[in-house]
Amino acid sequence: MKKKWTIIDTLIVIVIAAVAVVAGMKFMPKLGSGAEKSKVEFTVLIQNKDEELANAIKPGAKATLSLTEKDGGIVKDVRSETSQQMTFNSIDGTYSNTEAEGKVDIYVTVEADCEITDDYIKTGGTAIKVGAEIPVRGQGFATSGYVIEIND
């Protein structure tokens, strides 16, 4: 008995072709749109640290931005503010911000050579994304913080 081609067979072929096209677009390198190399400045927020760490990070210092020692940049600016913490007052049931004693929030602006595409900004193998945690290490300091701003 010979099988006839049906509408369901056609739909199955169309779905498989669509999945193949989407997978190809997602995982294959984009043709004609190579990554652009450029210097990018971004700010990393390092929260609730000792003032000594803020003093150890100096503008002009080299900073490693990964755990593999390959990806790096130059510290352009460092500023610190007194760290705030939210506390709960159990008597009246309210929350309030108070200063964390002896702790500061450190804002480190780093400039790095990055690869820029429509999908990502990377320095070496480290993706630079707002909200992403990133290590920041250099001579006399090692910590990590969150990218809060990107100026490309």
Side-chain angles (χ1 to χ4, degrees), residues 41-57:
E41 275 192 9
F42 54 93
T43 303
V44 178
L45 170 60
I46 303 163
Q47 292 181 301
N48 206 25
K49 300 293 182 182
D50 293 329
E51 184 71 37
E52 291 82 28
L53 179 62
N55 295 334
I57 305 171

Side-chain angles (χ1 to χ4, degrees), residues 70-103:
K70 291 191 283 188
D71 313 325
I74 303 293
V75 175
K76 290 294 183 182
D77 186 41
V78 180
R79 66 182 172 87
S80 62
E81 297 176 357
T82 304
S83 188
Q84 299 284 319
Q85 65 184 15
M86 186 172 284
T87 56
F88 179 70
N89 183 337
S90 60
I91 295 172
D92 60 11
T94 60
Y95 289 92
S96 62
N97 285 331
T98 58
E99 290 186 2
E101 225 174 280
K103 300 293 183 179

